[in-house]
Structure formats: structure tokens, C-alpha cells
């Protein structure tokens, strides 16, 4: 992932093997900015040789937690063009160099607009930060298949993270 062009910054590691963050360009224009998400020169561009998955949007309301989920074959590419999300990743993949690592990051505007790559097998969840809804855009490399992923409740003790504690800490 060392490719870099004038328009496409280098993807940065976030602490979990295969999970990467690429800052994205916000172009100011009269009437509102243009927000880039994916270009052919992006170091996170999926290999669409096997076909295209889908792009979808998911709204996350204030106070809502959407956790936990992981995919067995699908790679996620998240951008948050509106609002701000707390995204938490947890790697319990056997043999992973980051097995047991938990990673928490903010994704969205204005300071953290970028593209987050979540590899297969990594648990993830998210919650809106602040008092407004956040909008997440996912460019997945496979079409949605409910049998392909797994879910766990937000308070699953197998994942060492407390959404409730994180929300309280954010209020201080």
C-alpha cells in the first residue's frame, strides 16, 4: 500500500492487521463541499475483477449502537460524509499478528473524513458521536448476503469493549 499520487494520500495503518485509513479530499465549493470517497488511484481501491459488490448508506442515530458484526468474505470500505462516528474494531482472528487488539477511532467530518478499510474476520461496531445522526457509506466488494456475516450483541463479553463506558467517558 505504498502507492501515492498527488490526489491520493498513502493509506495509514490503524493498529489491526489489514485495517487501513486513507484521508480523503474535501473540495470547498460555493453552496457546499464536494467529498471524495473512492478513485482509481486510491490505495484502498478493491479488486473488482471478480465483480462489484454494492454501495449502501446506513444512518446511525444519536444514542444508537450498531455492534457487533464481522464478515467472512466481504471487505468493508467506510466513509462518513455527514456526522461523526466512533468505530471500534476487534481482531480475534486466529493467527493474526494483531489477535486480541482493540482499536477505537473517530470517522467523519470535519477533522476525520477518510476511508476506513475493515478486512474480513474483524469485528466492528459503531455509534454516533455528538447530538446528530451520522451517515456511513459502505463500498463493499461483495453484494450483501445475510449468511456471509456474523453478529453479536453490543455487550458481548467476548469483545473487551463497553459502549456504555465509552459514551460516559465522551460526556466528560
Amino acid at each position: 500500500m505504498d502507492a501515492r499520487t498527488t490526489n491520493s494520500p498513502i493509506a495509514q495503518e490503524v493498529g489491526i492487521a489489514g485495517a487501513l485509513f486513507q484521508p480523503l479530499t474535501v473540495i470547498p465549493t460555493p453552496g457546499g463541499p464536494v467529498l471524495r470517497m473512492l478513485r482509481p488511484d486510491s490505495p484502498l481501491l478493491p479488486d473488482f475483477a471478480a465483480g462489484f459488490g454494492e454501495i449502501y448508506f446506513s444512518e446511525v442515530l444519536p444514542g444508537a449502537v450498531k455492534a457487533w458484526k464481522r464478515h467472512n468474505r466481504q471487505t468493508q470500505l467506510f466513509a462518513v460524509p455527514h456526522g461523526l462516528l466512533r468505530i471500534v474494531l476487534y481482531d480475534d482472528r486466529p493467527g493474526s499478528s494483531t489477535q486480541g487488539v482493540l482499536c477505537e477511532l473517530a470517522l467523519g467530518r470535519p477533522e476525520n473524513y477518510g476511508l476506513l478499510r475493515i478486512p474480513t474476520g474483524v469485528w466492528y461496531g459503531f455509534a454516533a458521536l455528538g447530538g446528530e445522526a451520522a451517515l456511513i457509506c459502505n463500498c463493499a466488494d461483495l453484494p450483501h448476503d445475510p449468511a456471509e456475516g456474523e453478529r453479536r450483541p453490543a455487550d458481548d463479553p467476548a469483545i473487551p469493549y463497553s459502549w456504555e463506558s465509552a459514551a460516559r467517558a465522551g460526556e466528560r
Side-chain angles (χ1 to χ4, degrees):
M1 294 287 170
D2 291 336
R4 183 183 177 126
T5 69
T6 309
N7 296 321
S8 184
I10 293 175
Q12 307 160 4
E13 295 182 6
V14 299
I16 290 185
L20 300 167
F21 175 79
Q22 176 194 347
L24 293 174
T25 302
V26 176
I27 304 166
T29 65
V34 172
L35 307 168
R36 287 204 170 131
M37 182 177 168
L38 200 55
R39 297 171 42 101
D41 60 353
S42 170
L44 300 185
L45 185 71
D47 178 7
F48 291 123
F52 171 73
E54 67 178 325
I55 295 176
Y56 68 86
F57 297 88
S58 180
E59 188 172 42
V60 185
L61 300 175
V65 173
K66 293 188 175 185
W68 295 100
K69 186 169 188 178
R70 75 171 165 191
H71 290 277
N72 300 312
R73 294 186 333 267
Q74 188 180 72
T75 299
Q76 312 302 300
L77 286 173
F78 286 171
V80 179
H82 179 79
L84 187 63
L85 286 179
R86 169 183 292 125
I87 297 185
V88 180
L89 309 177
Y90 178 64
D91 187 358
D92 72 348
R93 298 173 293 178
S96 170
S97 62
T98 55
Q99 184 178 11
V101 172
L102 186 88
C103 174
E104 179 179 4
L105 33 102
L107 188 62
R109 297 183 51 220
E111 292 87 19
N112 300 303
Y113 184 60
L115 191 62
L116 176 65
R117 178 184 186 269
I118 303 173
T120 59
V122 171
W123 291 100
Y124 64 89
F126 42 84
L129 289 170
E132 70 175 334
L135 185 67
I136 191 166
C137 180
N138 183 15
C139 176
D141 59 349
L142 299 173
H144 178 71
D145 174 0
E148 182 273 333
E150 296 176 61
R151 291 189 179 273
R152 288 187 176 169
D155 62 353
D156 190 312
I159 299 175
Y161 188 80
S162 169
W163 292 96
E164 187 177 307
S165 295
R168 280 196 308 267
E171 293 170 357
R172 291 185 210 151

